[in-house]
Amino acid sequence: MKRVVRRVLLASISFAVCSCGGGPSGNGFGQGCNAQQGTTCQSLTVDGASRTYLLHVPSTFQKNSGALVIVLHGSGGNGLGMEIGTGFSSLADKEGFAVVYPDGLFESNGGQTNWAYFFNDFTDDVGFFRQLIGALQSSVQPDPKRIYVTGLSSGALMSYRLGVQLSDLVAGIGVVEGALFDQASVNSPPIPPAHAATSVLILHGDQDTTLPCCGAAGLASQDQTFGYWTGTSANNCSTFDTTAPLCDSEGNITSVVEKDATNCSGKTEVKFYKLVGGIHTWYTSPMDVAGQIPFNPDFNSTTGVTTTEILWNFFAAHPKL
């Protein structure tokens, strides 16, 4: 499993790393940090270590009713890179939700920042996120039924772990170019059952060579990942808009571009969108234009047409019961 984890770590694509420095000191960032307008530098001590994050709370945010979205960078990235690269703060200003962009810790074996997703336990990131959510519930005061997590690449892998182990706190996760691990093929413990039901949105490019759509050694296919979330270990869904596979028996990508599971525990939903022609990245350009790459014919003004819009629209429609 470590070989698989390391391959994912080193191959992950993240937004440009923006260095800390030049900002006000005394906030846990050491030399200070850069932040976009309206975003503040914050820190939290967890197990004796300072954990840093950027926090964006728009003036339109309403305490006790506004949502909170946690956005996770890929390996080698940081929170500032995700804020700049995703445009989540601009959308938050428009829609009135708060956003937090945490920084992963430096992983000495990989030589870069990363997350402790399943089978990569170099630190207790699950404990960090539980403490972070608790701190933000006290300071920002979001609606506790409207807390969401999303991420790219290794941030997507961490989103899956939090969807399993912090599903008592998290209403939904949005996974951009991620996968669960196929533990049977590498003789590792199985992914544990989710603590509670949580809605799941999966966006995955069919040309992703880092985490292939149809799986690889030690990496679950998107069909297997969808099956975990819709099965009895997680949301126990009973209604499917299609049972057709995303990949055939020989590992070839099929023409299926969307899968949806409803009538799930806690009125959750599991949704998959294939990004036709898409690779291992976060798309900020519209994906509803036929002939352009990537494309999905189901994207429109209701679903949203960019990665960030699609995630937020899904989150907004899926509070925790």
Side-chain angles (χ1 to χ4, degrees):
M1 176 55 70
K2 272 295 180 182
R3 182 183 302 173
V4 174
V5 169
R6 196 63 51 214
R7 182 178 68 80
V8 173
L9 172 72
L10 295 176
S12 294
I13 296 175
S14 60
F15 292 115
V17 176
C18 300
S19 62
C20 290
S25 60
N27 52 22
F29 283 76
Q31 300 265 328
C33 81
N34 297 311
Q36 295 197 114
Q37 185 175 2
T39 300
T40 60
C41 304
Q42 305 286 334
S43 66
L44 186 69
T45 300
V46 181
D47 294 331
S50 179
R51 301 299 304 263
T52 56
Y53 59 95
L54 299 179
L55 176 63
H56 187 88
V57 183
S59 60
T60 53
F61 178 81
Q62 297 293 315
K63 291 183 178 181
N64 302 312
S65 62
L68 172 69
V69 179
I70 302 171
V71 184
L72 307 183
H73 61 74
S75 57
N78 63 15
L80 181 56
M82 284 302 279
E83 181 179 29
I84 294 171
T86 64
F88 247 119
S89 291
S90 295
L91 185 59
D93 290 339
K94 177 182 177 182
E95 299 292 343
F97 61 91
V99 197
V100 61
Y101 306 91
D103 297 311
L105 290 181
F106 184 81
E107 184 185 14
S108 58
N109 287 341
Q112 56 189 339
T113 54
N114 204 17
W115 302 109
Y117 45 79
F118 281 121
F119 313 118
N120 193 40
D121 295 302
F122 72 98
T123 188
D124 179 17
D125 271 338
V126 174
F128 160 55
F129 282 105
R130 185 173 289 279
Q131 189 169 331
L132 174 64
I133 290 171
L136 293 172
Q137 284 177 321
S138 297
S139 61
V140 178
Q141 298 178 43
D143 182 344
K145 297 183 182 299
R146 302 182 67 205
I147 296 173
Y148 307 95
V149 178
T150 185
L152 167 70
S153 192
S154 67
L157 304 185
M158 192 67 213
S159 297
Y160 273 141
R161 184 165 194 172
L162 297 179
V164 173
Q165 294 183 291
L166 287 190
S167 47
D168 55 322
L169 299 177
V170 173
I173 62 172
V175 180
V176 182
E177 306 303 326
L180 288 175
F181 289 107
D182 180 14
Q183 66 278 358
S185 68
V186 288
N187 194 30
S188 63
I191 302 296
H195 290 185
T198 187
S199 292
V200 179
L201 174 63
I202 303 168
L203 303 176
H204 205 92
D206 60 6
Q207 300 304 306
D208 186 342
T209 57
T210 302
L211 296 172
C213 189
C214 296
L219 294 172
S221 68
Q222 294 304 303
D223 282 309
Q224 290 172 310
T225 300
F226 187 83
Y228 169 86
W229 289 107
T230 60
T232 56
S233 291
N235 293 324
N236 196 25
C237 305
S238 60
T239 302
F240 299 82
D241 66 344
T242 179
T243 58
L246 297 164
C247 299
D248 64 22
S249 60
E250 297 181 354
N252 299 309
I253 296 170
T254 68
S255 61
V256 177
V257 296
E258 174 270 350
K259 298 188 79 167
D260 188 45
T262 54
N263 285 332
C264 309
S265 299
K267 293 188 177 180
T268 56
E269 180 180 9
V270 181
K271 185 86 171 179
F272 174 91
Y273 286 120
K274 182 168 72 180
L275 308 183
V276 180
I279 59 173
H280 195 78
T281 195
W282 188 293
Y283 287 97
T284 57
S285 298
M287 297 182 284
D288 63 335
V289 182
Q292 292 190 12
I293 294 176
F295 172 68
N296 188 295
D298 289 345
F299 292 158
N300 53 45
S301 58
T302 300
T303 63
V305 297
T306 66
T307 299
T308 302
E309 290 175 351
I310 295 163
L311 289 165
W312 168 246
N313 288 347
F314 181 84
F315 290 158
H318 293 88
K320 185 179 285 293
L321 290 182

